[in-house]
Amino acid sequence: MKKGDELNAGAVEYVRGMPVVKIFNAPIVGFRSLYENIIGYRDMVYAYSMSCRISYVSFQWLLNIFIVLPIFLAAFKVAGGADPRLWSIKVLFFTLFMGIFFSNMMKIMYVFMYIYQANSAVDNLENLFTEMEEKSIDFGSLKEMKNHCIEFKNVDFSYDKNTKILSDFSLKLEENKVYALVGASGSGKSTIGKLISGLYPVDKGQILIGGEKIKNYDKNFLMDNIGI
């Protein structure tokens, strides 16, 4: 499940980065992480499959023995004078029964797998909502902007404890001007836009719009005035 999540995240990042590759003629080697995720997922699936081979093959052998055994039993009984038609019906019935038994056993095993996947998905969603609540901003009630200048003052930000995206970052954007943020994939361009929108609280420093801290504004007012 973890490897699958990493693979999905790598694929999304790859697709999102396609415009960067096309516009700036960037080398595709910049998306090596997707290739590594694919290889990692392949190795994990192969290792998991090989770890199940003894139990799965044993199950197949056991099932096939139960299917073949009645044939020898029927031959023995018929040789002893039993009704061949009756034992032919018994063998046919048992063979069909074991086929249905095998099919339903496989369904039961898949049900357990789907239950595990569903529980994992629900846990991920609950953790996501919990994380969003922990990182939410307590907005104010201000519904007016003196101007539309945007300023970052010594801002630190990280999505998690291990990876810092912005460190002591300062920037001032004057109103009525157009700016371009240019940088490598993962350098923090999108993060800056998200922080201006008030989607995440900063670890340190301040973000001001119109001379006021973002958290002083009413949330709906801020969302109505910022597009990303």
Side-chain angles (χ1 to χ4, degrees), residues 35-218:
Y35 173 79
E36 293 174 349
N37 286 332
I38 293 173
I39 297 302
Y41 184 77
R42 179 202 66 183
D43 294 342
M44 173 62 70
V45 170
Y46 179 76
Y48 174 75
S49 300
M50 294 302 291
S51 69
C52 299
R53 70 187 186 279
I54 295 177
S55 56
Y56 186 71
V57 171
S58 299
F59 172 69
Q60 293 273 16
W61 268 99
L62 187 63
L63 182 73
N64 289 323
I65 287 174
F66 276 109
I67 292 176
V68 174
L69 189 62
I71 298 176
F72 291 101
L73 181 60
F76 175 77
K77 289 289 185 179
V78 170
D83 186 355
R85 290 176 298 177
L86 177 62
W87 275 96
S88 297
I89 293 172
K90 287 183 177 182
V91 169
L92 178 62
F93 168 79
F94 197 76
T95 302
L96 294 175
F97 171 78
M98 290 306 297
I100 296 172
F101 174 78
F102 172 75
S103 176
N104 284 281
M105 283 295 295
M106 293 298 295
K107 290 179 180 178
I108 291 172
M109 287 190 283
Y110 275 112
V111 165
F112 278 108
M113 182 185 72
Y114 293 142
I115 290 174
Y116 179 84
Q117 290 178 340
N119 288 333
S120 177
V122 171
D123 290 341
N124 287 340
L125 286 173
E126 289 179 347
N127 292 335
L128 178 62
F129 286 127
T130 301
E131 183 181 350
M132 289 171 64
E133 291 177 359
E134 292 175 349
K135 293 185 176 181
S136 62
I137 297 176
D138 294 325
F139 289 94
S141 57
L142 190 62
K143 294 186 177 181
E144 183 180 355
M145 290 183 180
K146 298 176 182 177
N147 56 65
H148 299 97
C149 296
I150 302 172
E151 186 174 3
F152 284 70
K153 285 187 174 181
N154 308 110
V155 171
D156 283 9
F157 176 76
S158 57
Y159 290 106
D160 54 59
K161 297 180 180 179
N162 300 323
T163 307
K164 181 172 285 190
I165 307 298
L166 299 177
S167 178
D168 198 28
F169 179 75
S170 296
L171 174 70
K172 187 169 184 180
L173 306 174
E174 300 289 345
E175 66 175 353
N176 298 321
K177 291 185 178 181
V178 178
Y179 295 88
L181 295 177
V182 181
S185 178
S187 61
K189 303 185 299 298
S190 299
T191 299
I192 292 172
K194 293 175 183 176
L195 293 177
I196 294 173
S197 301
L199 299 181
Y200 297 93
V202 297
D203 300 333
K204 191 189 77 171
Q206 298 178 350
I207 301 176
L208 310 176
I209 299 180
E212 292 284 348
K213 297 178 182 177
I214 281 184
K215 64 181 182 180
N216 292 343
Y217 289 103
D218 175 78

